[in-house]
Amino acid sequence: MIGRKGMANQEQSDLRKLRKECLLGLSEALSDCQMLEQEMKGILNSKFQLIEFKELKPLGEGDFFARLINRFKQISTNEKMIAELEKAKEIRNKLAHELFYQVNISNDERFLNDTLKWARETKPLMAQLTVRYVNETFSTCFQLLDEKGLN
């Protein structure tokens, strides 16, 4: 029979395992956000240069994702896509600036389970958004090229 101390040790071990699993889930979710950000950077820079026939200024430091969204707004009027990108930015910021720390210090099993579930739910959302973003950007660029008589 396991005594109180043994049960407490098992609970702490289970909590550490859950915390590690949660941190892994957050890392994977943040990686998916990074994939979207990299796609935005690459596509926007190359397509924007093609349409405008000029070198773009570097986006600079600071909130890089917000700057990418602002650049996207310059070539697209798709309000739904812009809103989805803004939501993705909020998710990325929550992951990067809030949840890693909270998970590292939390002993709340319910919070850890809820956070892990939330992190896992972001994976398909980010993947779908990345595909829709790529399609929208290419479609918009072709439309702009047609308008300029370059296609």
Side-chain angles (χ1 to χ4, degrees):
M1 187 164 153
I2 300 175
R4 283 187 203 186
K5 190 173 182 178
M7 288 180 67
N9 287 340
Q10 182 62 43
E11 288 173 5
Q12 286 298 320
S13 176
D14 291 348
L15 195 57
R16 279 193 297 277
K17 287 177 187 175
L18 178 58
R19 190 179 295 114
K20 285 180 181 179
E21 187 177 2
C22 192
L23 288 170
L24 178 61
L26 292 175
S27 295
E28 290 172 352
L30 190 56
S31 178
D32 292 335
C33 292
Q34 187 65 30
M35 178 184 65
L36 172 60
E37 200 170 315
Q38 290 302 315
E39 287 297 324
M40 289 178 72
K41 179 182 175 187
I43 291 171
L44 276 177
N45 283 338
S46 63
K47 299 307 171 212
F48 213 101
Q49 287 174 9
L50 176 67
I51 293 165
E52 297 297 323
F53 299 108
K54 63 182 178 185
E55 275 302 304
L56 293 174
K57 295 178 189 171
L59 287 168
E61 299 300 316
D63 192 346
F64 191 69
F65 209 130
R67 292 174 198 253
L68 287 169
I69 293 169
N70 286 334
R71 188 166 280 173
F72 178 73
K73 289 177 184 178
Q74 294 174 19
I75 64 167
S76 178
T77 58
N78 185 334
E79 294 298 324
K80 183 178 179 196
M81 177 62 63
I82 292 167
E84 287 181 288
L85 292 171
E86 292 285 354
K87 180 68 176 168
K89 182 184 77 156
E90 291 173 17
I91 290 170
R92 193 274 322 253
N93 288 344
K94 182 175 182 175
L95 284 163
H97 302 295
E98 188 179 320
L99 289 177
F100 274 98
Y101 175 73
Q102 289 178 351
V103 165
N104 262 322
I105 63 169
S106 179
N107 290 320
D108 183 343
E109 187 175 341
R110 184 174 180 184
F111 167 76
L112 294 172
N113 279 313
D114 289 347
T115 301
L116 178 58
K117 181 180 179 222
W118 179 83
R120 287 178 174 160
E121 289 170 352
T122 66
K123 188 169 189 64
L125 295 175
M126 287 298 140
Q128 292 167 11
L129 180 56
T130 300
V131 170
R132 286 195 310 275
Y133 169 79
V134 169
N135 289 336
E136 171 66 20
T137 305
F138 276 97
S139 173
T140 300
C141 288
F142 286 126
Q143 180 183 347
L144 291 171
L145 287 171
D146 283 344
E147 288 172 8
K148 290 185 176 211
L150 301 170
N151 201 4

